[in-house]
Amino acid sequence: MKLSKHNIFSKIRDSENYFLVNLLSRQADIISACEARDYLQQQNGKLTDNKQFAVEMAEKGYLTEEVAEESLFRGKYLDFLDSRDKDEIQVFYVTNYSCNFACSYCYQDQYKPPAVYESTEVIDAFFSFLRNYYPSRKLYITLFGGEPLLGNSNQKKTISHFINRCKENNLELCVVTNGYHLKEYIPILVRGRIREVQVTLDGTEKVHDRRRYLKGGKGTFQAITNGIDACLAAGIPVNLRMVIDRENIDDLPALAQYAIDRGWTANRLFKTQIGRNYELHHCQAEPDILFDRLSLYERIYELSACHPHILSFHKPGYSIARHLAENGELPEPLFDSCPACKTEIAFDCTGNIYPCTATVGKSDESLGTFYPVTGIDDEKIAGWEERDVTSIPQCRDCALQLACGGGCGSVAKNRTGTVCSPDCRPVKELLELGFAAYFT
């Protein structure tokens, strides 16, 4: 027997203990420094004197026969493909590319909004395409922008028409909005089956208004928080997103306390996510304010240790650590973390189709059109569909592959020119933080 190629082993941050994780056998253990020495002995090709430890390692799949492990991998991979083929598809629809905000970190400011067709005609064609192209798949729709909930009467008519079409097709709807006009849209939204509304707050009032303001400079915090209150009061779930960089990270404890005091965190309809501000399409004016993925979560770990109430507002995933803590077991192996063309696809008001939200609006990424004529590039779609850890050469022998899933295909393609390349995630380092945060 030999050590599994899927073992993830490292020292827990701020601890003398270590962790050992295997996504293929779905086992996770915290081990002592003494057991870690036994493990490293095995890793160096020597038999350990601790026979009981070796027996336990074999029982949990950390020690295995190569043929048996390959067979288990194939079986799990086929299960994954079968499950993914039955998963619901998140369909994004961009109603417009215009926005009433002038956020300090917006990347769309370099683009001129494209010419669009009459909105209801395109919307009707969109729903017709979905019925024909996905006759037996479960779908839900996410409205995206630009800003879909603009305050003018024409946009309100457009959103009302869209919600009516969702109801006719028995489809749930999510909305991604800056939240400024959210309160006045509640009477329209409650007519539909709203799965959630995602709204962004980048901190408490002073910090947020310095980053996310109207064209003309007016602050937006008060209107957004009133909109969140109105959503929750109407029974509409809210997903609050905070976009973080070095300019606002230290306001996270204050925003967490604000959400607690406002009663949001006690509401079962309220949840949160952390977004990383990163360079997109053109350079940030101050790129040194950006975090990479690991440094962001290291700083959140430090802040949470000093301000434990942050965890009442948001519990970081730290790769798979939070899932393990909350469920008492590991998730299934992740053979693919890129949903593009598989469980995600995007459409826009110009009649174009794109693989995902990271590619929407980029003409060279279009997969075809649904209006005014229908035409699909099957070869492009196949390229995205085939991407997973078995088709990315750099992933095949990586111990982290089943926790990372190859990362984002769009980011990988932007960097290397090919979809079948990795967007590597710092899985081991995130787990070091996660085991410290949730298991010590």
Side-chain angles (χ1 to χ4, degrees), residues 153-366:
S153 59
N154 283 339
Q155 187 66 4
K156 288 178 180 177
K157 288 177 183 177
T158 295
I159 299 303
S160 183
H161 179 72
F162 197 95
I163 287 176
N164 288 338
R165 297 309 308 270
C166 283
K167 287 173 63 179
E168 291 168 9
N169 289 275
N170 197 31
L171 293 170
E172 288 188 315
L173 180 67
C174 300
V175 182
V176 178
T177 174
N178 59 37
Y180 189 76
H181 292 291
L182 179 56
K183 186 175 181 178
E184 61 197 78
Y185 267 89
I186 298 297
I188 298 173
L189 294 177
V190 294
R191 299 206 306 265
R193 296 171 57 203
I194 307 299
R195 181 176 290 198
E196 72 172 33
V197 172
Q198 180 187 301
V199 186
T200 300
L201 277 181
D202 275 2
T204 49
E205 188 165 5
K206 273 189 180 178
V207 173
H208 172 90
D209 283 350
R210 198 165 57 235
R211 295 162 60 85
R212 297 181 66 84
Y213 40 84
L214 293 174
K215 291 175 178 175
K218 182 181 176 182
T220 60
F221 183 86
Q222 288 296 335
I224 295 169
T225 53
N226 290 338
I228 293 171
D229 284 338
C231 253
L232 295 174
I236 298 174
V238 172
N239 185 349
L240 180 65
R241 182 172 183 257
M242 183 181 185
V243 179
I244 286 182
D245 55 38
R246 296 183 192 278
E247 287 188 336
N248 70 328
I249 179 69
D250 290 331
D251 201 44
L252 175 59
L255 180 61
Q257 191 61 56
Y258 180 89
I260 293 168
D261 294 343
R262 196 105 176 185
W264 292 344
T265 57
N267 193 315
R268 62 180 180 81
L269 298 175
F270 181 81
K271 66 179 181 181
T272 59
Q273 60 173 293
I274 297 292
R276 179 168 59 94
N277 185 15
Y278 56 98
E279 193 171 299
L280 277 173
H281 299 249
H282 68 102
C283 292
Q284 294 273 351
E286 299 178 73
D288 57 335
I289 71 170
L290 305 180
F291 285 104
D292 61 30
R293 189 180 300 273
L294 179 58
S295 61
L296 170 61
Y297 282 94
E298 285 177 330
R299 184 63 183 135
I300 293 174
Y301 172 81
E302 293 166 359
L303 285 171
S304 299
C306 296
H307 307 279
H309 71 278
I310 288 174
L311 297 180
S312 297
F313 171 74
H314 179 75
K315 290 185 177 180
Y318 297 125
S319 184
I320 54 173
R322 187 183 71 188
H323 185 284
L324 178 61
E326 292 180 346
N327 297 280
E329 62 180 6
L330 291 174
E332 291 290 343
L334 182 62
F335 292 91
D336 179 26
S337 59
C338 176
C341 292
K342 290 159 278 194
T343 56
E344 181 178 317
I345 194 161
F347 299 73
D348 76 0
C349 49
T350 70
N352 276 281
I353 306 170
Y354 303 92
C356 61
T357 52
T359 57
V360 71
K362 298 170 70 174
S363 58
D364 59 330
E365 296 282 11
S366 175

Side-chain angles (χ1 to χ4, degrees), residues 86-90 137-140 172 195 343:
K86 296 173 183 175
D87 281 349
E88 65 179 353
I89 298 174
Q90 184 176 19
R137 289 294 293 270
K138 186 177 180 183
L139 313 172
Y140 72 98
E172 288 188 315
R195 181 176 290 198
T343 56

